[in-house]
Amino acid sequence: METDSVVTGPDGLPRCPWGTATDDYREYHDTEWGRPVRGDDALFERMCLEGFQSGLSWLTILRRREGFRAAFSGFVIARVAGFTAEDTRRLLADPGIIRNRAKIEATVHNARVLAGWTPGAFTELIWSHAPPAEGRPAPRSHADIPAVTGESAALAKALKKQGLRFVGPTTAYALMQACGLVNDHLAGCHAR
């Protein structure tokens, strides 16, 4: 039975309720979500996937993740930055990804912007917006988790100032959650 607090799965482990919904969610919840991610290419992938998720279910993105990785050259910034109009046409015809022109073009644009940065600068910018962990209580229910914070709004503003697209404050907060800048696993969750 799903509640708004932790749910004990068949394996006896308490999880955030969403982490018990499907095998895909359980794997992602237990091994990735909320774990610190560093590295420009790794963070670029997560930022892009969060952007593609906008308006859709995260499960849709998870189930197409390998398709996204194949289509976008493993999200290696230098490779994606070299994509051409022909690559955009290829991506728009690829059933393994979300075929949204604006999101595809934003991904290529963002790679081109980031390709001009000093290696590590993107990681540094992202992590400079992590709020202090101390004093931040563990959420007890989904209602305790915000969609936007001051830090995510500041991160979105900083990314946009650098010319990046599809990086609003809600997407920025989802990125912060996914990449371990904040720990929004519920109190009592084994992954916390």
Side-chain angles (χ1 to χ4, degrees):
M1 180 176 166
E2 189 168 310
T3 67
D4 203 31
S5 60
V6 294
V7 175
T8 302
D11 57 4
L13 294 175
R15 289 181 178 84
C16 302
W18 66 268
T20 63
T22 68
D23 289 343
D24 297 307
Y25 273 153
R26 185 175 61 250
E27 175 71 17
Y28 179 67
H29 171 275
D30 288 1
T31 64
E32 281 190 73
W33 193 74
R35 305 280 193 291
V37 174
R38 294 187 184 269
D40 294 348
D41 292 336
L43 287 166
F44 176 64
E45 174 185 357
R46 297 293 184 86
M47 181 182 74
C48 294
L49 293 177
E50 294 296 346
F52 273 100
Q53 185 272 330
S54 181
L56 302 170
S57 157
W58 182 245
L59 188 58
T60 301
I61 302 303
L62 274 181
R63 290 185 172 163
R64 294 182 184 198
R65 191 173 189 184
E66 290 310 313
F68 275 108
R69 285 176 171 161
F72 286 100
S73 298
F75 289 99
V76 174
I77 292 168
R79 290 183 190 155
V80 179
F83 279 18
T84 64
E86 179 57 37
D87 288 303
T88 299
R89 285 190 288 279
R90 171 184 57 82
L91 293 167
L92 286 168
D94 188 338
I97 67 168
I98 305 303
R99 296 173 285 184
N100 177 299
R101 180 179 292 276
K103 293 176 182 182
I104 290 168
E105 289 176 349
T107 299
V108 175
H109 168 83
N110 290 347
R112 289 179 181 153
V113 170
L114 294 173
W117 291 22
T118 302
F122 182 53
T123 299
E124 186 178 318
L125 176 68
I126 298 289
W127 277 90
S128 73
H129 289 82
E134 59 278 352
R136 190 170 191 267
R140 302 200 65 71
S141 75
H142 181 73
D144 295 335
I145 300 172
V148 173
T149 63
E151 293 88 359
S152 75
L155 175 57
K157 183 177 179 179
L159 293 169
K160 287 178 182 179
K161 184 177 180 181
Q162 294 298 322
L164 300 178
R165 300 179 189 159
F166 267 90
V167 288
T170 302
T171 297
Y173 192 70
L175 176 69
M176 294 171 81
Q177 291 175 302
C179 295
L181 280 75
V182 296
N183 184 351
D184 278 345
H185 284 284
L186 299 182
C189 174
H190 82 91
R192 186 166 180 84

